[in-house]
Amino acid sequence: MKTGAAFANSAWLAASVPAWLRFRTALQHPAETQRRLLRGLLAGNAATAYGRAHGFGEIRDYGQFHARVPIVEYDDVQPWIARIMRGEHAVLTREPVTRLVPTSGSTGGRKLIPFTAAFHRELNAAIGSWMVDLCLRHPSVPRGPAYWSVSPAIADSTLEKSAVPIGFDDDSAYLGGFKQRLAENTFAVPSALRLVADLECSRYLTLLCLLRQRDLRLVSVWHPSFLALLLDALPRRWDELLADIANGGCARRDLPPAVSRAMQTSAQPARARELRGADPAKPLTLWPFLKVVSCWGDGQAALAFADLQRRLPGVVLQAKGLLATEAFVSIPLRGKHPLAVTSHFFEFADARGAVFPAEDLKRGETYSVIVTTAGGLWRYRLGDFVEVDGLVGKTPSLRFLGRGRSVSDLRGEKLAEPFVTRAIAETCAVLGFATPFAMLAPETDSAGAWSYTLFAEGTALPELTARLDAALRENPHYALCRDLGQLGPLRSFQIVSHAYETFCAVGISEGQRPGDIKPRALSSRTDWRQRFSAGHG
């Protein structure tokens, strides 16, 4: 067992209990909780440049906030961020901005999100509530180390001047303060691995660290395919891994010094002998105490989530809530994902553009998320679509559907990602077709004619493609374009393996962080055939 992991887990959870208690109480009083949070944000930031520009000091209730403060997107916020970068104080928040954290989301270029001490507290309120509830339901989890996927350090190609540091050196810095230090003592994989740029090397070192930890209890990754790819690599590197475990350290000599130091450990010949009697295709023979895997499970990730469930019998797979660099939106709880009502102030826009507070949401309806945070985002449109799938107490539970801006409209077909996600999932379910990756994207042939292609792992694609084309025709705009010949028949492209890895590699090559690369059911890119052909499939 990792030295100190159980103690650090206990201390972290104990520090998070007050946040969990507040959250459990707030679930019965979402309106009061949200209004109190909004009043505090407005009062605390009335004297900022943004607060003066929008009359925060004169706002007395939500109706006035709704009427006076505009809904914004990043392009609207960017000029205010530029002022912070130049060193101006009290621009969006009274508290100093400690970091500007890059994110690119799913649709656009780089954005810089302001972090303050109060924003850290908002994030901790959500993370702490989630972890306390998870450990109460699975009491063995805090008794050993956890694997939290490590984002590699990505060089910033834009060498711009900023009075405020840009980015975090380490993912655990999102926790901030002593909770960051406690969390680091529970890590099965050292954060120094972020310095390893080579993907295959990083995967090997991650597996080496994980196999050393017989007492591994929790795995938290972003996309379920990330863990599936790790498990796939075990058999082909098995003998090499066992040799390094038996000898201690790592045979590789081309590692950054910080990584080499982090990989050095005592020889574990007994653990190596134990693993020789295990089956690398059966994870519970490697980690007999593994209890929970947390990963994305909604939207396009649902397919890979189901695939991972089949691969990990006996392990609880928990679908993460909706979270982004900008905000925590929902938290896993009781099989639902209630809104993180104690963290930020939320509003929701329906398909007609009408905006509602959290307590007015209706079950079965679809909304886009608007958030106000202590980091200085005021009525900020996240661009995510959610569906209300029930209540936890009196607080709405949200299911992530997809990115709101993901619409493909080459010939007037108006295909939106939530619709495409549902069509793919329902078609796969009818056929019993299991795939960890499926994505629709437009292509043009040599004559310049447009059509859509289903890029998927698996072999039974012809029948799937025909049925999916019929499902897409439920969209009358798509059906008309097909009937008029503006779009050709739906095609398919079989990806042999490593689909999500290739998908991620494209995003990383364009400056995205792995944690920001969300799975997609619909892409507007037209070069995926070349990308997947040049990848592993």
Side-chain angles (χ1 to χ4, degrees), residues 194-236:
R194 72 189 187 279
L195 302 174
V196 180
D198 180 76
L199 185 60
E200 192 62 28
C201 178
S202 175
R203 184 174 290 140
Y204 177 84
L205 296 178
T206 297
L207 287 170
L208 178 57
C209 291
L210 291 177
L211 288 172
R212 288 170 174 169
Q213 300 291 340
R214 184 179 190 272
D215 207 27
L216 183 70
R217 307 296 176 115
L218 169 69
V219 169
S220 178
V221 297
W222 296 111
H223 194 278
S225 289
F226 179 92
L227 180 57
L229 289 168
L230 272 178
L231 298 177
D232 287 343
L234 274 170
R236 66 176 183 270

Side-chain angles (χ1 to χ4, degrees), residues 99 151 153 166-173 191 194-195:
R99 292 272 173 176
S151 298
I166 294 178
F168 285 128
D169 294 331
D170 191 324
D171 286 353
S172 63
S191 60
R194 72 189 187 279
L195 302 174

Side-chain angles (χ1 to χ4, degrees), residues 16-38 41 118-130 327-331 333 338-346 358 371-374 395-396:
S16 299
V17 166
W20 174 75
L21 291 172
R22 286 192 296 272
F23 180 66
R24 292 294 298 267
T25 300
L27 290 174
Q28 299 294 336
H29 309 282
E32 299 91 325
T33 302
Q34 286 278 280
R35 295 299 189 278
R36 184 167 56 249
L37 198 155
L38 177 61
L41 289 171
F119 185 57
H120 273 295
R121 291 192 292 272
E122 289 184 337
L123 298 181
N124 273 298
I127 297 170
S129 298
W130 164 47
F328 265 76
V329 180
S330 62
I331 301 170
L333 191 80
L339 185 67
V341 286
T342 57
S343 290
H344 320 295
F345 180 76
F346 295 98
V371 66
T372 293
T373 76
T395 298

Side-chain angles (χ1 to χ4, degrees), residues 207-208 210-214 234 238 241-243 245-246 268-280 283 285-288:
L207 287 170
L208 178 57
L210 291 177
L211 288 172
R212 288 170 174 169
Q213 300 291 340
R214 184 179 190 272
L234 274 170
W238 190 240
L241 286 163
L242 296 191
I245 292 169
Q268 295 179 290
R271 176 61 174 157
R273 287 194 298 271
E274 179 185 29
L275 288 170
R276 288 194 184 281
D279 185 348
T285 67
L286 313 178
W287 301 288

Side-chain angles (χ1 to χ4, degrees), residues 293-307:
V293 170
S294 169
C295 57
W296 285 328
D298 291 329
Q300 176 61 3
L303 296 173
F305 186 85
D307 177 67

Side-chain angles (χ1 to χ4, degrees), residues 435-455:
T435 176
F437 185 92
M439 180 179 68
L440 202 67
E443 289 190 299
T444 183
D445 61 20
S446 57
W450 286 96
S451 62
Y452 281 86
T453 297
L454 177 67
F455 295 89

Side-chain angles (χ1 to χ4, degrees), residues 71 347-356 366-370 381:
I71 295 173
E347 299 168 273
F348 299 85
D350 67 10
R352 300 178 301 277
V355 177
F356 304 92
T366 297
Y367 303 91
S368 62
V369 183
I370 299 164
R381 193 186 298 274

Side-chain angles (χ1 to χ4, degrees), residues 112-190:
L112 294 174
I113 306 304
F115 270 55
T116 64
F119 185 57
H120 273 295
R121 291 192 292 272
E122 289 184 337
L123 298 181
N124 273 298
I127 297 170
S129 298
W130 164 47
M131 286 302 299
V132 170
D133 184 78
L134 184 149
C135 291
L136 286 174
R137 294 180 181 279
H138 307 287
S140 66
V141 166
R143 297 176 189 167
Y147 170 49
W148 300 80
S149 59
V150 179
S151 298
I154 300 173
D156 193 345
S157 60
T158 56
L159 301 177
E160 56 193 307
K161 295 180 179 179
S162 175
V164 176
I166 294 178
F168 285 128
D169 294 331
D170 191 324
D171 286 353
S172 63
Y174 282 90
L175 294 170
F178 81 99
K179 290 185 179 179
Q180 176 185 352
R181 294 189 291 275
L182 288 174
E184 288 169 348
N185 284 318
T186 74
F187 290 172
V189 176

